[in-house]
Amino acid sequence: MSFPLVQLGGQAFNHHRSDEAEAEYDRLRSLARQEQAQCSRYFDQAHQAFQSGDGAAAHQLSEEGRRHLRQKDQYNRLASEYIFRENNAEGRVASDTIDLHGQFVEEAEDILERRIRAAQAQGQDHLHVIVGKGNHSVNHVQRLKPRVEQLCRELGLEYTIEDNAGRIYVNLRGGPAHLPHEGHHHGQPSQPHQGGTHHAPPHHQEDAIVKKVVRKLLPKVVKQLHCCVVM
């Protein structure tokens, strides 16, 4: 079963981007769209062939459509990995923060769930998730935020929206979503505070989590690009 990839929309980079970096990200997404168009064309032709009784042609056209579908997924994966590495490079976000700008909704959900589980395994007690405000999305609708909230509910984690509406604070230990160091973050909890104050683990632990997730989930883009063949 396939799901439509919905882009968060708007600016994909969280920092002053270079023209080269933006061009590479756009190139990969554009190639994915081209492959999707080819995929749809071959599947339509396969359906027509099947309707006319030409089973052999329908099978051949379907296989060609599947080939373009795999290539589309490859380009989108490369784009997702590329933008994640750009936005979450050391020094661009804090070690207790993950930036999901530029991701399709399904991509962001997968990356975030893996990051949450890795962080919990390392004893991290909270995570700031940057989802964007939806200012550049169609009708200014935040597509990513509802999915992140849904994921938190599925994992049994409480969360709250920070003063910056494009950020979500997640308590990774299952308790109420108290914002740490409220004088700095100025967020409001989603429900009355209960329990004690949570303290973040040492920064070196959080840095290790980020590096572990990147190494595991996002292999070097340059290496993968050599495997791609533009059809």
Side-chain angles (χ1 to χ4, degrees):
M1 182 177 182
S2 61
F3 298 89
L5 289 175
V6 181
Q7 189 172 15
L8 173 61
Q11 187 171 339
F13 293 85
N14 67 2
H15 57 282
H16 182 68
R17 61 202 184 280
S18 68
D19 291 341
E20 182 180 354
E22 185 174 18
E24 177 61 11
Y25 174 76
D26 290 341
R27 183 185 74 87
L28 292 169
R29 290 300 193 193
S30 177
L31 287 171
R33 288 191 294 271
Q34 293 174 33
E35 293 296 331
Q36 176 63 59
Q38 288 285 78
C39 171
S40 298
R41 183 169 67 87
Y42 278 108
F43 281 153
D44 287 343
Q45 292 178 0
H47 178 71
Q48 294 171 9
F50 180 79
Q51 291 289 83
S52 66
D54 191 344
H59 176 74
Q60 182 178 0
L61 290 166
S62 293
E63 287 300 310
E64 189 67 15
R66 292 189 183 94
R67 183 174 68 83
H68 285 287
L69 181 63
R70 289 191 297 270
Q71 194 64 48
K72 179 211 72 170
D73 291 341
Q74 172 76 341
Y75 285 130
N76 274 328
R77 183 169 60 253
L78 291 172
S80 171
E81 294 171 355
Y82 182 81
I83 194 63
F84 185 87
R85 295 173 78 91
E86 283 288 317
N87 283 339
N88 291 273
E90 186 174 356
R92 287 184 176 153
V93 294
S95 56
D96 64 347
T97 302
I98 183 171
D99 191 333
L100 299 176
H101 274 102
Q103 301 292 339
F104 288 145
V105 172
E106 289 75 14
E107 296 167 348
E109 182 179 23
D110 181 63
I111 291 171
L112 179 58
E113 181 174 359
R114 292 172 185 253
R115 171 64 186 275
I116 286 174
R117 296 190 183 282
Q120 289 175 321
Q122 294 293 327
Q124 187 173 334
D125 63 6
H126 71 273
L127 185 66
H128 297 277
V129 184
I130 301 175
V131 297
K133 297 181 180 180
N135 292 336
H136 303 280
S137 299
V138 177
N139 297 324
H140 301 292
V141 175
Q142 288 182 297
R143 297 184 181 277
L144 189 55
K145 176 176 170 285
R147 187 66 69 88
V148 170
E149 294 174 326
Q150 177 183 335
L151 176 62
C152 288
R153 290 192 293 269
E154 291 173 354
L155 296 177
L157 300 175
E158 294 195 20
Y159 60 89
T160 186
I161 309 304
E162 302 183 31
D163 266 2
N164 179 342
R167 288 168 58 101
I168 296 176
Y169 172 83
V170 183
N171 185 337
L172 299 179
R173 293 187 175 178
H178 294 290
L179 283 166
H181 314 301
E182 291 183 1
H184 175 69
H185 293 290
H186 302 292
Q188 295 297 325
S190 55
Q191 62 181 41
H193 283 233
Q194 297 178 359
T197 302
H198 301 298
H199 298 282
H203 289 299
H204 69 272
Q205 286 188 9
E206 296 174 343
D207 289 337
I209 295 170
V210 176
K211 293 176 181 177
K212 180 179 179 181
V213 172
V214 171
R215 285 198 302 268
K216 182 177 180 181
L217 301 179
L218 307 176
K220 292 183 178 180
V221 174
V222 175
K223 181 178 179 181
Q224 292 194 13
L225 283 172
H226 292 311
C227 300
C228 296
V229 179
V230 180
M231 304 298 175

